Amino acid sequence: MGNNANLFLIDGTWPCARKMLKLSRNLQKLKRVSFDNTIKSKFIIKQQPESLCLSTIESVYTVLNLLKDSDLEECDTKNFLIPFEKMIEHQLEYMLNPNNKNYCTTANKAITPKTMYKKNTERNIIFEQE
């Protein structure tokens, strides 16, 4: 990557980011950087397409740590994910609060992590009949 590398991260839903990459010739010309992911996403509210998929902030956190470990970046990521973790905490509290309209009426008052991933990556197409 060299010492003056620029990284671009596409932020959006997985289908939207995939579409941006597919339709943008400028993005397609850029070299791709990837990393081995051993981290499981903490984003239990929203389902990812695959178990290795991370949210944007988790990906940024991972990349920054990899750059730091390679002596390419100097940054402190110790508290980097705190806002993300607080957001998830707030979402869970909201879902479990009986005074909210989106109250989750689970018997054990626990949210099940979203660990079921798509087996078929093809989208269903619905045609409207005239």
Side-chain angles (χ1 to χ4, degrees), residues 19-128:
K19 186 174 182 178
M20 281 190 277
L21 185 58
K22 182 180 178 182
L23 296 177
S24 173
R25 289 191 178 117
N26 291 330
L27 288 174
Q28 291 171 11
K29 290 177 186 175
L30 297 173
K31 292 180 182 177
R32 292 190 190 179
V33 176
S34 61
F35 52 87
D36 290 335
N37 181 16
T38 57
I39 300 169
K40 188 170 182 174
S41 179
K42 294 180 182 180
F43 205 5
I44 62 171
I45 300 295
K46 187 173 180 184
Q47 187 158 340
Q48 311 296 5
E50 303 274 341
S51 61
L52 58 87
C53 296
L54 300 176
S55 65
T56 304
I57 193 166
E58 290 170 312
S59 296
V60 170
Y61 172 77
T62 302
V63 169
L64 285 175
N65 282 325
L66 289 170
L67 291 171
K68 184 172 71 172
D69 292 345
S70 300
D71 293 324
L72 294 171
E73 185 64 52
E74 294 179 25
C75 56
D76 180 14
T77 58
K78 182 176 65 173
N79 297 321
F80 191 84
L81 291 178
I82 288 177
F84 176 67
E85 292 164 351
K86 293 288 185 188
M87 177 194 72
I88 294 168
E89 197 175 296
H90 177 74
Q91 289 173 329
L92 290 173
E93 285 175 15
Y94 182 81
M95 290 176 70
L96 297 174
N97 184 340
N99 297 321
N100 293 321
K101 66 179 180 179
N102 294 332
Y103 174 61
C104 183
T105 57
T106 55
N108 60 2
K109 301 291 184 225
I111 301 297
T112 307
K114 304 209 180 215
T115 56
M116 298 297 292
Y117 301 102
K118 292 182 181 180
K119 295 193 183 343
N120 183 0
T121 57
E122 292 182 30
R123 293 185 182 190
N124 294 329
I125 299 173
I126 300 171
F127 294 98
E128 292 183 14

